[in-house]
Structure formats: structure tokens, C-alpha cells
Amino acid sequence: MTRVLIIVQNLPVPFDRRVWLECQALVSDGHQVAVVCPKGSGDPAYQVIDTVELYKYRPYAPGGSKAGFIAEYAYSFLATAWLTLKARRSGRFGVLQACNPPDIFWPIALVLRVIDGTRFVFDHHDLSPELYQSRFPDGPKLPYKLLRALERRSHRTANHVISTNDSYRNVAMTRSGKSSTDVTVVRTGPDPQLLRRGSAYPELRRGRRFLAAYLGVMGPQDGVDIVVRAADIVVHQLCRDDIAFTLIGSGDCFDDLVALRDELSLAGHVEFTGRAPDELVGRILSTADVGLSPDPKNPLNDVSTMNKSMEYMAFELPAVAFDLRETRVSAGDAAVYVVPNDVHDYARAIVELMDDEPRRSRLGRLGRARVEQELAWSHQQGAYLGVYRRLIRGSRTLDRTGG
């Protein structure tokens, strides 16, 4: 049995679905797993769920400015380092897996490598340099260069890199010089047994005929303001009073988005739930007619895999999305694609899809089939565990040979 430590900074576990699926896969393969991550609302500092030890620190997010990110990441690094030492009291870790963003945890991997021979897996969730470009398109170049350097150091320190799609895999090889044999694509596939369409709850439509749903983070690069502005066009320009919008999630822009909704007189049409428990998310997505993927085209989104798109597909929801490279790879024919960043086209596509029930049903079936046959976590788990088996086998070989 190998002890594995997983580090996550941007979401608590098990709320982070990808990381929790990884934890469960490792446990099922006979490993002992510990996680260091921020607390969610009401979370204790330490708990054990399904044999996974969770060490949690109080999150600190001073704001979305450049200085705020530096302060947040410095705090997170120190809190993570402290809890890593605390978790190590129960024994050395054979493997450390760090999930980004941010790309700052490679020094912890180096220390554990020196004192314990710990192998390092870098689970590459986001492109931090492109995230900076997307949030601060006119910002200074120095932070971008620093983020590129941190990304490169994370890749090169890692014994193995896990990429969420082929675009990220290409970044690891071309920007950071990783060998193709040291980079494995493991997509964030939904679990179709847990995420499936159930009975509808008509009251969630709030007296309207149709429901459009958004599920995800609400940051500057996520385009949720496009949903609100599209709803304004749907309601006030296209005169459609029969469509309700429910937006699930939270993030840096949450308060601004609520204010925008109220400014546009959409309180009766657009509902914000904040972060919602899985049960409520399931009810909303089982009731919805269309899923919304409003991610605008920018340096990050064009090459990133959007988890919400695949969750919509699991719930047999056709999605309305901008025409982005990796969104097409994930959703295939199960989505309606519109000209990137065109709010009017996005609004019209929502209305047209609502009015075409046969098309909605066909796209929903295509999406569900794609999840079951290609994207589900059961199809990704083998590649993920294969990374660990190779690393652990290689580590044992080195131990026997004295390398």
C-alpha cells in the first residue's frame, strides 16, 4: 500500500468532483490517500470520508486584483506546507499529486523528494499564464512571464504530468519540454451512475414553460455576464416571458452579476442559487431544458475542457456554447455552437433551441451516449491509475537497485 498526498488550492474536496473521483480510484486500487485543500462552508479542519483523510485550512481570497492573487497564493502555499508536514506525521508519502492552479507547489515536491524519495505527479487543470491573459488582457508582461516560469518548473519537476486534454498535453511538451511518455491525458469525465436525469420538478421553472441552467464558477473569464445579458435580450427584445434562467455557482463576480441582473430588471427571470448541494443541482438539471456554456473565446477558454458541458450531457441537456476548440472536442454534436462572444447570437440560439423540442431531445440523447461510451470517468480511470502504477513500480525498482 502506498500513501498518496493530493494538494488542491482552488476548491474544497469532495466538492471538487475530479479530485474526489481520483481519490476514490486510488482507494479502490489499494492506496491510502490524504488531501490538503481549503475549507468549504462549515467544513472541519480534519475529517475522514470513505477512508480519505482531509486536512483543510481556512481559505483566504482578498479579491481578484493582481496583488490579491499574490497574497492569496502566498497564504495558500504556507498553509499547504504546514498541513503537509502535519499529514506526514502518519508516515512518508510515496507520491505527491499537486493540482493547479496555481503552479506553486513544486518546492514542496522537491523537499519530499529529498527527504522521502516521494514521486511527484502534476495534475494540470488550468493554464495559469492564459488565465492571467484572460483576466488582465492589457496587464503588464512580467506577471505572465513569471507564470510561464512557474508552469515550466512544475512540469519539469514532475515525474509525470496528467493533462486534462490534448491541448494541455501539447503545452507540457512544447512549452516545458516534457517527453511524450511522461504526459498522460486524463479527462474530467462525469460519473454517469451519479449524474443522470431524474424526475422534473416543475416548480423550479417558477411558473414559466422552459428553464435554462448554468452550472459552474463565476469568475471574470467564465462569461456568466453573457448569460445575464442574453437573458435581457430574450426577455426584453425577443419578448419571451416563458423562459426562466437558473444560475448555480459562485465566484469573484457573483455580487456584480446579481447587481447586473437587478440593473436589467431581470429579478423575476434570472435566479442565482449560489453554491448548491448536489441534490439541488440534480433537481435543477433534471428539470432544465437547455444547459448554458457561455465561456467566451479567450486564450484560456479556447483550449480548456469545460466540466459543465459534460455534466449537461450526463443529464441529457443540449448545451448552447460558443465555438471553442476543446468545447467541440468534448461536446461533439451534442451542443449548439454560435459565433464566439456574440451575445445576440447566443440569445437567439437559446430561443431557437427552446422552440425545437425534437432537436433538444436528439442532442440530449447524443450527449448522454457520448458520456457513457467515451467520456465517463470509468473510461478515464484506467489511464489515471496507470500513471501511479508505473511510478510506484519504477520507484520500487530504484529502491532495489540503490538508484
Side-chain angles (χ1 to χ4, degrees), residues 24-43:
Q24 292 175 310
L26 290 169
V27 169
S28 71
D29 209 40
H31 302 294
Q32 185 180 20
V33 182
V35 176
V36 172
C37 65
K39 290 183 180 180
S41 178
D43 285 354

Side-chain angles (χ1 to χ4, degrees), residues 45-67:
Y46 175 80
Q47 64 185 136
V48 178
I49 302 177
D50 295 342
T51 76
V52 178
E53 295 182 279
L54 303 175
Y55 296 83
K56 299 189 176 185
Y57 57 89
R58 183 177 300 173
Y60 172 66
S65 67
K66 292 183 283 292

Side-chain angles (χ1 to χ4, degrees), residues 2 4 33 92 97 101-102 128 132 140 144 151 153 177 200 248 250 263 299 320 324 340-341 353 365 382:
T2 299
V4 177
V33 182
R92 65 177 289 274
Q97 175 181 318
S128 294
Y132 172 80
Y144 174 79
E151 176 191 79
R153 181 49 54 194
I248 312 165
S250 189
E263 177 188 333
V320 178
L324 307 182
N341 308 349
L353 194 53
R365 290 192 299 270

Side-chain angles (χ1 to χ4, degrees), residues 16 37 47 54 86-87 126 166 208 216 229 254 256 270 320 333 345 361 381 389:
D16 188 317
C37 65
Q47 64 185 136
L54 303 175
K86 188 174 182 180
D126 276 308
D166 287 307
R208 308 187 192 280
R229 296 186 189 281
F254 184 84
D256 292 338
V270 179
V320 178
D333 295 330
D345 270 6
S361 297
Q381 180 172 303
R389 289 166 184 166

